[in-house]
Amino acid sequence: MKLLVFDSVDEMSRYAAEKTVQTIETNQRPVLGLPTGDTPLKLYQYLIDDHIHNHTDYSDVVTFNLDEYIGLDSKDYNSYHAYMQRHLFRHLNIPLENTFIPKGNGIPLSKAIEDYESALEKHPIDLQILGIGANGHIGFNEPGTSFESTTHVIELDPITKENNKKHFPSRAKVPNKAITMGIHSILQAKEIMLLASGTNKAEAVQSMVEAPPTTECPASALKLHNKVTVLLDKEAAKLLKEEHPC
Ligand code: F6R
């Protein structure tokens, strides 16, 4: 696990965008794994700026989003389908049929899982980008999730609901369940890049980096992968024992 600590979220996001564009440029049919949430917003803005100014071509890019809430219509403002349209896809020349997001509504969940798994099998991920939850989750793989897990439905942890309530009218409106790529599937990516910023991620980052792999900290599974880069701002890195300047 390689660690890079940046002075600001801006620098961290710029680095992540450069790495993403490099992956697109060096693969004939690049496959990206993408997160939602607050952390990747600046990265997505950099990718859009790069597309406008440098014309990076997304017509052959395939993307997989990690997760989706169960029970929200894909047009619902808070669905991750809508988030991706708003913050990235509609600004790029990416064909909609190349963008895979697990479906949390409208079809039986067993079918949603099957469809997503078979798409993953057809398109192995070149670069999986991740955020991390304050409880150490990756995707919506909450603490206790098996490292052998593939796509599955999960009950959201109270900490996740608390952190995500800011996007909903009230905590009670945060969906209880989600569909997520599993930890085993995440580990199949050829390369992984995890981004974390802010003090509220510091404990999760410390467990991921310094504790042995344990299902209590799902992100610690990344230690089992041989090509992981962790990008941090200073606040997220503040509990780490060693210094890791970039
Ligand atoms: C979302 C996802 C989650 C987030 C994590 C951090 O698709 O996979 O694991 O990356 O909850 O969320 P933010 O970035 O909002 O702090």
Side-chain angles (χ1 to χ4, degrees):
M1 190 178 267
K2 178 173 150 194
L3 269 84
L4 300 174
V5 181
F6 295 84
D7 285 335
S8 65
V9 172
D10 199 61
E11 283 177 38
M12 177 183 86
S13 307
R14 194 148 12 107
Y15 180 97
E18 279 165 17
K19 172 75 197 163
T20 307
V21 170
Q22 198 187 336
T23 302
I24 293 170
E25 282 171 351
T26 52
N27 287 280
Q28 272 195 346
R29 190 149 173 80
V31 185
L32 302 175
L34 301 174
T36 55
D38 294 335
T39 312
L41 288 174
K42 270 214 159 132
L43 156 64
Y44 292 160
Q45 192 53 56
Y46 272 118
L47 292 179
I48 294 165
D49 291 349
D50 165 79
H51 176 65
I52 293 169
H53 298 295
N54 303 324
H55 312 290
T56 298
D57 180 20
Y58 285 77
S59 55
D60 283 325
V61 175
V62 173
T63 62
F64 282 89
N65 266 88
L66 286 159
D67 40 24
E68 179 57 284
Y69 290 114
I70 285 179
L72 291 192
D73 189 88
S74 59
K75 298 220 162 40
D76 187 298
Y77 185 87
N78 282 315
S79 76
Y80 288 162
H81 280 74
Y83 169 106
M84 288 310 295
Q85 283 305 326
R86 197 161 64 239
H87 293 295
L88 191 64
F89 295 153
R90 74 179 160 91
H91 306 279
L92 306 174
N93 67 326
I94 188 162
L96 211 55
E97 64 271 20
N98 287 7
T99 62
F100 296 95
I101 306 178
K103 288 202 171 55
N105 194 46
I107 60 169
L109 291 171
S110 55
K111 169 92 171 96
I113 290 172
E114 201 184 301
D115 289 352
Y116 187 74
E117 280 290 321
S118 75
L120 268 177
E121 209 168 294
K122 269 193 221 123
H123 307 284
I125 294 177
D126 294 304
L127 177 66
Q128 175 66 59
I129 304 170
L130 297 171
I132 183 171
N135 62 359
H137 75 206
I138 46 175
F140 272 143
N141 293 285
E142 302 287 27
T145 305
S146 163
F147 288 179
E148 296 305 314
S149 53
T150 53
T151 308
H152 61 284
V153 169
I154 189 141
E155 183 96 25
L156 293 178
D157 190 278
I159 296 176
T160 303
K161 291 191 72 176
E162 191 59 31
N163 283 328
N164 290 6
K165 76 175 185 196
K166 58 179 179 280
H167 301 296
F168 291 84
S170 71
R171 189 180 188 283
K173 298 266 189 236
V174 184
N176 291 320
K177 289 185 177 177
I179 177 168
T180 181
M181 187 191 292
I183 295 178
H184 174 79
S185 312
I186 290 174
L187 294 178
Q188 298 311 300
K190 290 177 198 147
E191 187 168 359
I192 297 175
M193 178 168 72
L194 182 143
L195 280 70
S197 58
T199 309
N200 72 326
K201 300 295 173 67
E203 273 185 36
V205 166
Q206 185 187 32
S207 308
M208 167 179 71
V209 175
E210 293 176 357
T214 161
T215 56
E216 284 317 298
C217 176
S220 67
L222 300 179
K223 291 216 182 74
L224 307 174
H225 192 285
N226 62 10
K227 215 167 176 200
V228 176
T229 308
V230 175
L231 313 186
L232 304 170
D233 74 347
K234 284 181 174 164
E235 283 75 28
K238 72 176 187 181
L239 297 178
L240 295 179
K241 288 196 188 74
E242 286 175 42
E243 290 221 343
H244 303 270
C246 65

